[in-house]
Amino acid sequence: MMECFRIDESGYTGFDLLNDDQRFQGASAIAIGDDDAERLIKLHFPKLQATELKYRALSRRQSNHPRLLALMRDLLGEFKCVTYVCDKRFMLTLMFVD
């Protein structure tokens, strides 16, 4: 069976790599199936109706902070995952070199 990775990014501004308002871009990938994702959402956010978590919306409420940290602990401990963050000025340099 092939392993499936879910990928999401933040801070993408297209070719506007020198945008001072969003200097950084990040991306994460995690090997998690639908059943495990649903189980963790129900475990950590039992009252939430959405099937997809939106960090920005959840992090606005102070009461969600412990839940978000617990979810991240479970994800990092149980599943293959990787995250990167880059300063887009250096990405532009790499594009020139490439």
Side-chain angles (χ1 to χ4, degrees), residues 44-79:
H44 294 288
F45 297 94
K47 296 178 184 177
L48 192 67
Q49 298 297 316
T51 58
E52 181 181 353
L53 300 181
K54 294 293 184 181
Y55 177 80
R56 184 176 297 242
L58 292 171
S59 66
R60 287 187 182 128
R61 296 186 65 169
Q62 185 76 27
S63 62
N64 283 333
H65 292 185
R67 292 191 242 295
L68 286 167
L69 289 172
L71 173 61
M72 285 189 261
R73 181 198 63 227
D74 289 349
L75 291 171
L76 292 170
E78 297 177 31
F79 302 94

Side-chain angles (χ1 to χ4, degrees), residues 5-97:
F5 282 79
R6 293 345 199 253
I7 301 172
D8 199 12
E9 58 75 33
S10 177
Y12 178 71
T13 54
F15 290 106
D16 185 10
L17 298 177
L18 297 178
N19 183 334
D20 285 335
D21 293 330
Q22 255 184 338
R23 279 185 45 198
F24 299 96
Q25 179 175 354
S28 291
I30 183 166
I32 189 170
D34 291 340
D35 292 342
D36 284 324
E38 187 177 327
R39 175 181 59 81
L40 288 172
I41 290 171
K42 286 180 181 176
L43 175 66
H44 294 288
F45 297 94
K47 296 178 184 177
L48 192 67
Q49 298 297 316
T51 58
E52 181 181 353
L53 300 181
K54 294 293 184 181
Y55 177 80
R56 184 176 297 242
L58 292 171
S59 66
R60 287 187 182 128
R61 296 186 65 169
Q62 185 76 27
S63 62
N64 283 333
H65 292 185
R67 292 191 242 295
L68 286 167
L69 289 172
L71 173 61
M72 285 189 261
R73 181 198 63 227
D74 289 349
L75 291 171
L76 292 170
E78 297 177 31
F79 302 94
K80 293 179 188 176
C81 53
V82 64
T83 297
Y84 85 87
V85 177
C86 70
D87 185 322
K88 289 189 267 187
R89 292 176 304 159
F90 299 109
M91 189 170 12
L92 181 59
T93 303
L94 289 174
M95 289 173 76
F96 284 134
V97 170

